[in-house]
Amino acid sequence: MVLCFYPRILFSNRKLGDCQFGGLAYDGNGDLDRAIAEYDRAIELAPDWAEAHYKLGNAYGVKGDMDRALDGYSRAIELDPDFILAYYDHGSFYS
């Protein structure tokens, strides 16, 4: 079910897919430092992929690093102006 949110680039670049799914797995287990490392690797492989920046922002938000969280959300919005979740999460820091 989660796959419907990810672009085809995941399937055309195995390393990128491994980074994204690795990040999600570490994130889900509470290992935020490793999740952040995987999202950073995904961004190195595909710097214009808004989803990776968004997930990186989420991980930093959970860690309590609001500046980096906002940077991730802002970059996701910059790359994909229709990314509604990034707007929502970005705005939630100001409420």
Side-chain angles (χ1 to χ4, degrees):
M1 290 186 192
V2 174
L3 293 178
C4 65
F5 292 108
Y6 299 116
R8 283 186 221 147
I9 194 168
L10 259 181
F11 303 106
S12 64
N13 186 329
R14 183 166 165 75
K15 282 185 181 180
L16 182 58
D18 290 347
C19 293
Q20 182 68 1
F21 288 121
L24 290 171
Y26 292 130
D27 205 345
N29 289 331
D31 191 346
L32 296 172
D33 291 329
R34 287 181 80 178
I36 288 168
E38 291 298 313
Y39 295 137
D40 280 334
R41 280 187 34 203
I43 290 168
E44 285 178 23
L45 293 168
D48 294 335
W49 189 18
E51 182 76 25
H53 290 277
Y54 171 75
K55 293 293 187 185
L56 182 63
N58 283 343
Y60 277 123
V62 172
K63 278 190 77 161
D65 189 337
M66 300 311 159
D67 289 335
R68 286 187 172 167
L70 289 171
D71 288 344
Y73 298 142
S74 295
R75 184 67 178 135
I77 292 166
E78 184 180 313
L79 293 168
D80 182 358
D82 296 324
F83 201 148
I84 302 303
L85 285 174
Y87 283 102
Y88 177 82
D89 288 339
H90 188 280
S92 70
F93 284 100
Y94 296 104
S95 60

